[in-house]
Amino acid sequence: MPGGSLCRVLRQYEAGEIINAAERVGAKAFEDPLYGASIPVISREELVLTCDPIESMKYIISRPTGQLEFMLVHIASLLGAAGVGIGALGVTGTLAMGVHVEGISDIDLVVYGPRASLEVYEAFASIGEEPPGARRGIVNGVKVHPPLSLAWRRRVVDGTHVSWTGAPEAAASHCAPLREWRRLEPPRGRARLALRVPGGQVGALLYPPCVESEEGVHIVSFEYNLGALLYEGGLMEVEGLASEEAILLGTREYPGSLRLLGGR
């Protein structure tokens, strides 16, 4: 960009990276008495630019000017043919801010609401191709067995990487253990549980993926890539931090693991 350049602060999209990124940019830490944890905070006065994903999407769709922007229009049309309304789609990252680089930048979509997230989940596998290295045994610190394919939410379309993340209509509205966030019980410690998860719970496709097992225990994953596995369901061995109502995966303190023992 004129007069300067941009760099990525988060080197990896995982909870443990937040503190490292905060230290690199000199963000102040706030000791939150509610959670008993140190939370990095950036004040509004320090913000240079913010983008609303839906407004950015509307703006680009109305007047695309470059190859990546026309690719966004193409992706939106493919999803529209699958029944996904344009009003349920947003775009983030460098494309949303208008600082993308043709041939390098990718497309990061946000899909709003359970219905649209399910429609995108069902349609996305038919778009483009599976990206190289999509199958992982470890996703941002969480061990997964058998290795998980990320192709359900990451595709390559004509050389452009495209990904999506489902967002609830209101923060944590899809996840009972997180809904009353001012009264969260701190995790008691590590636990390993065998849980049978009924398939088809759309809460698995929203961030953070959240499903309820037949045993009445919720699985909450702060690692979004596990969403498809939780949506498909089955008998699972889950190791993570446990609270009264849930077992948590992808936390900063202990990412944990998920082992599929059997199908639905």
Side-chain angles (χ1 to χ4, degrees):
M1 60 189 299
S5 60
L6 298 174
C7 65
R8 184 186 298 275
V9 175
L10 284 171
R11 294 173 180 170
Q12 299 181 75
Y13 290 107
E14 61 177 274
E17 171 63 8
I18 293 176
I19 293 299
N20 297 330
E23 291 176 351
R24 284 195 292 272
V25 300
K28 297 178 182 178
F30 172 72
E31 295 297 328
D32 191 323
L34 177 63
Y35 299 109
S38 177
I39 299 176
V41 175
I42 298 176
S43 66
R44 290 184 179 272
E45 291 73 22
E46 295 176 282
L47 297 178
V48 176
L49 175 67
T50 61
C51 295
D52 180 288
I54 291 180
E55 292 304 317
S56 295
M57 185 77 174
K58 290 179 180 177
Y59 180 81
I60 295 172
I61 292 292
S62 68
R63 45 176 298 179
T65 58
Q67 180 181 355
L68 195 64
E69 292 187 351
F70 277 104
M71 176 59 72
L72 178 63
V73 175
H74 177 57
I75 296 299
S77 67
L78 292 176
L79 294 177
V84 184
I86 189 66
L89 298 177
V91 62
T92 64
T94 57
L95 183 56
M97 296 188 293
V99 296
H100 55 283
V101 179
E102 297 288 356
I104 297 178
S105 297
D106 52 14
I107 295 176
D108 301 305
L109 298 175
V110 182
V111 182
Y112 291 90
R115 178 178 176 179
S117 295
L118 180 56
E119 290 171 339
V120 172
Y121 175 74
E122 293 175 341
F124 211 65
S126 63
I127 294 176
E129 301 174 345
E130 181 174 316
R135 192 163 293 277
R136 309 275 183 86
I138 299 179
V139 283
N140 294 326
V142 182
K143 298 177 181 179
V144 186
H145 184 82
L148 170 69
S149 173
L150 309 186
W152 69 275
R153 61 174 298 258
R154 296 183 181 276
R155 307 293 291 180
V156 177
V157 183
D158 294 335
T160 299
H161 288 258
V162 184
S163 68
W164 70 277
T165 301
E169 294 168 340
S173 58
H174 65 300
C175 188
L178 302 182
R179 207 168 291 150
E180 297 297 329
W181 62 271
R182 289 189 176 275
R183 293 182 291 180
L184 291 178
E185 178 196 5
R188 297 191 298 261
R190 299 183 182 186
R192 180 186 297 170
L193 303 175
L195 302 172
R196 187 168 292 279
V197 178
Q201 297 183 63
V202 73
L205 304 178
L206 306 173
Y207 186 85
C210 180
V211 295
E212 184 175 7
S213 68
E214 292 181 357
E215 294 77 10
V217 178
H218 286 78
I219 302 173
V220 181
S221 174
F222 295 105
E223 171 49 55
Y224 185 67
N225 287 309
L226 300 181
L229 188 58
L230 294 174
Y231 178 77
E232 293 300 326
L235 179 61
M236 304 177 183
E237 180 186 81
V238 186
E239 188 169 357
L241 293 182
S243 64
E244 182 177 353
E245 299 179 76
I247 185 163
L248 312 176
L249 291 166
T251 62
R252 188 173 72 198
E253 296 82 0
Y254 182 56
S257 63
L258 191 153
R259 178 182 291 268
L260 185 63
L261 303 177
R264 293 186 184 182

